[in-house]
Amino acid sequence: MAKRNLTYTNPEPCSHLAEYKQNHSSRGYNSLQPSLKTNPNGRTTIKTSQSQIPRCGSCSADEGRLYFCLICSAIHCPDHAILHSQVGHAIAVDVDRAEIFCCVCNDQVYDPDFDNAVMHKQMKLKKNPQNGMLETPNKKRRRKVAILERETEATEGVSCFPWGLRGLNNLGSTCFMNSVLQAMLHTPPLRNYFLNDRHNREICQRRRRIGRRRGPPEMSCLACDVDAVFLAAFSGDRTPYSPARFLHSWWQHAANLASYEQQDAHEFFISMLDRIHEKEQSTLQPKVVGGDCHCVAHRVFSGVLRSDVTCTVCGFTSTTYDPCVDISLDLDPRNIASTLTGCLDLFTRPEKLGPDQKLHCEHCGLRQDSLKQMSIMRLPSVLCFHVKRFEHSSARRTSKKVDQYLQFPFSLDMTPYLSSSVIRNRFGNRIFAFEGDDVCKAPSEFEVFAVVTHTGKLESGHYVTYVRLRKSGTSVTMRG
């Protein structure tokens, strides 16, 4: 597959990290290997020997971010890490996420050698001197890892990483953007669309130049800049890429969010799809049939929700249909750890509406108490769930983050949550034709391939993306 040749530039690496590597080579990374701890879901942290709970060596703080000095192994909170850097100990590692942090630049920095050390710890591979194969305790896993290595060797030379893995530089609290971009880069229909040149930048720019001659200048095309990010990520270059042009373009389209402050990843996701939709729709207008949009954003993510509001007096039901690009789910407050299927059960469970939401019943001619039930009329090609992590109290005028655990399977059957299933369950075991059966004949089983998570508090924190590249379970952490 051939793509256009483009030139990309990356910022200079951190001078303090370069100085550290010059003075200590890779000894610091090697000595850190025994302290790296990987839990079953693939997250790597720093296991310290000072105490069971890591604390700042200066103020004993044990909350928030803590940094492990790569020179003297001291642990400090952010404020004392900056003071500690004045003695020449600038490079540290985030204890909770195993990420390199420069205490002088006060920012996360990237080093491929450190990433290799973390990846080596995560994979837990040993070299077998007899046959040269990579070994793990599980023989089946060993065979898959060996095949993976051969595939990447054949396509990418000496690189040990699957195709398309490339870090994104933080441009000033832009982890919210980088985490969503990493997930979208590995969304198969989007990847196929942009890498197959379905949005050609040269043609789009030519049309824009003609349009500028005939009228006022347009804003930059966000879809063109998304295409540039895909080209950069799949170019084979392993050095971190700076999506600065894309960020500037998004700022033009979302002026109310244009700042270097941390933003909400979900809000960014919706904003980006809206901007892509606006651009693609203008060129696909003749192809819009029956109200369905054929832009790439909606072809990939768009589904239809069904809402049934039923009068509790006479049983009259008012039904509405709403398009959606994601499904917002509430965590179950009754459980310490919610499950994704439990959240979906909660989403499709009948809910009694409050007195200010009474239904005007056409049959009764009055406003009556009612029950509302949600279901999914049509599933999208790629199903996106938005888990509500921020709780707002209008009475107390306060907001807080919900730190409840969520368990989710790698494979998910959405059949119980389709309108056809929900409506039949509402009427018991009666067998009858449902008007949406033809819509629901599409496959309803999904494989989880990307998860965007947030650590920290409401006013501050960090977004990280986990991408599952193969059904064998290979997962990679994309650090924003």
Side-chain angles (χ1 to χ4, degrees):
M1 183 186 304
K3 286 293 287 184
R4 301 177 298 282
N5 293 324
L6 297 175
T7 302
Y8 302 98
T9 59
N10 290 288
E12 292 296 323
C14 170
S15 59
H16 308 101
L17 176 61
E19 182 181 357
Y20 167 81
K21 294 186 68 175
Q22 183 178 1
N23 295 335
H24 301 275
S25 63
S26 59
R27 292 194 303 272
Y29 298 166
N30 295 335
S31 62
L32 189 65
Q33 277 277 338
S35 300
L36 293 174
K37 178 184 177 182
T38 302
N39 60 18
N41 63 14
R43 179 174 178 174
T44 302
T45 59
I46 302 297
K47 178 179 62 177
T48 64
S49 58
Q50 291 183 348
S51 64
Q52 188 175 1
I53 300 176
R55 300 177 184 273
C56 174
S58 299
C59 65
S60 299
D62 60 355
E63 294 184 355
R65 295 192 180 184
L66 295 174
Y67 298 104
F68 180 91
C69 178
L70 276 178
I71 296 179
C72 67
S73 301
I75 296 179
H76 291 102
C77 64
D79 292 337
H80 289 107
I82 295 175
L83 293 175
H84 187 65
S85 67
Q86 295 176 1
V87 299
H89 294 197
I91 304 302
V93 178
D94 190 311
V95 171
D96 188 48
R97 291 190 294 271
E99 297 172 349
I100 296 187
F101 190 85
C102 177
C103 300
V104 177
C105 299
N106 195 28
D107 196 7
Q108 176 188 344
V109 292
Y110 175 80
D111 181 32
D113 294 333
F114 181 80
D115 253 18
N116 287 335
V118 174
M119 286 289 293
H120 178 78
K121 184 70 175 185
Q122 287 178 339
M123 295 173 70
K124 296 181 180 179
L125 301 177
K126 297 180 181 179
K127 190 76 173 179
N128 184 342
Q130 295 181 354
N131 56 19
M133 294 286 286
L134 293 171
E135 286 190 337
T136 66
N138 187 311
K139 293 182 179 179
K140 191 174 182 180
R141 169 73 171 158
R142 176 182 61 194
R143 186 174 65 85
K144 290 179 179 178
V145 171
I147 293 173
L148 169 63
E149 290 298 317
R150 287 200 296 272
E151 286 176 352
T152 53
E153 247 181 51
T155 57
E156 301 175 25
V158 296
S159 175
C160 64
F161 296 100
W163 189 51
L165 292 188
R166 187 175 186 184
L168 299 177
N169 284 309
N170 196 325
L171 304 176
S173 299
T174 58
C175 59
F176 73 94
M177 176 185 73
N178 290 355
S179 60
V180 173
L181 285 177
Q182 290 287 14
M184 297 189 75
L185 284 169
H186 297 279
T187 301
L190 281 182
R191 179 191 62 203
N192 297 341
Y193 179 87
F194 284 102
L195 295 186
N196 277 298
D197 213 19
R198 298 290 298 278
H199 183 91
N200 187 288
R201 295 180 67 202
E202 279 76 13
I203 295 177
C204 184
Q205 290 173 359
R206 194 180 307 127
R207 288 174 178 168
R208 285 167 51 78
R209 284 195 296 269
I210 296 174
R212 281 196 295 268
R213 297 171 191 166
R214 298 176 179 175
E218 301 178 13
M219 289 188 292
S220 61
C221 174
L222 192 66
C224 285
D225 295 311
V226 171
D227 182 63
V229 175
F230 270 90
L231 287 173
F234 289 89
S235 65
D237 190 350
R238 294 300 178 194
T239 58
Y241 172 69
S242 293
R245 182 172 177 176
F246 172 85
L247 177 63
H248 180 261
S249 179
W250 178 65
W251 278 350
Q252 288 183 301
H253 291 274
N256 60 315
L257 301 174
S259 71
Y260 284 102
E261 297 178 356
Q262 180 68 271
Q263 303 290 346
D264 182 71
H266 176 250
E267 188 174 8
F268 166 75
F269 170 71
I270 298 299
S271 171
M272 181 171 64
L273 292 188
D274 286 344
R275 302 294 87 76
I276 294 176
H277 159 72
E278 290 172 1
K279 178 61 182 179
E280 295 289 300
Q281 189 185 41
S282 63
T283 60
L284 295 170
Q285 201 67 26
K287 301 179 183 179
V288 177
V289 180
D292 289 336
C293 177
H294 289 259
C295 75
V296 64
H298 286 93
R299 286 209 315 269
V300 174
F301 293 103
S302 181
V304 177
L305 296 179
R306 171 175 172 145
S307 174
D308 293 311
V309 181
T310 303
C311 173
T312 58
V313 177
C314 70
F316 171 79
T317 299
S318 173
T319 301
T320 57
Y321 301 93
D322 295 303
C324 66
V325 293
D326 64 354
I327 299 176
S328 293
L329 300 177
D330 289 299
L331 295 168
D332 191 345
R334 300 170 299 178
N335 299 324
I336 298 176
S338 295
T339 64
L340 183 57
T341 52
C343 293
L344 285 165
D345 290 337
L346 192 64
F347 177 76
T348 55
R349 185 182 304 167
E351 172 192 6
K352 185 175 182 180
L353 299 180
D356 58 335
Q357 297 176 299
K358 287 186 176 182
L359 166 72
H360 180 78
C361 178
E362 295 181 12
H363 184 267
C364 299
L366 299 171
R367 293 176 64 84
Q368 304 282 23
D369 291 332
S370 54
L371 291 175
K372 179 180 180 180
Q373 186 170 29
M374 300 294 299
S375 59
I376 302 171
M377 186 69 182
R378 187 181 68 198
L379 289 164
S381 298
V382 176
L383 183 58
C384 179
F385 294 117
H386 163 234
V387 181
K388 299 177 184 177
R389 285 287 184 183
F390 302 111
E391 188 178 79
H392 304 279
S393 173
S394 56
R396 298 179 181 178
R397 296 183 180 180
T398 58
S399 300
K400 67 176 183 178
K401 182 184 173 184
V402 180
D403 287 321
Q404 192 174 333
Y405 286 102
L406 175 66
Q407 299 174 356
F408 55 89
F410 281 136
S411 298
L412 178 66
D413 186 1
M414 291 295 294
T415 302
Y417 315 107
L418 295 177
S419 298
S420 55
S421 301
V422 171
I423 300 302
R424 285 193 174 96
N425 288 337
R426 184 191 303 167
F427 290 93
N429 295 324
R430 302 177 193 176
I431 300 176
F432 61 96
F434 178 68
E435 69 271 17
D437 281 344
D438 292 338
V439 179
C440 300
K441 285 183 179 179
S444 59
E445 294 186 358
F446 289 81
E447 294 284 333
V448 176
F449 72 91
V451 178
V452 178
T453 66
H454 180 270
T455 60
K457 298 181 180 180
L458 181 68
E459 64 278 359
S460 64
H462 189 62
Y463 284 100
V464 175
T465 299
Y466 296 87
V467 177
R468 186 179 181 219
L469 296 179
R470 289 173 175 82
K471 289 185 179 180
S472 62
T474 302
S475 62
V476 180
T477 303
M478 304 294 191
R479 308 178 190 278

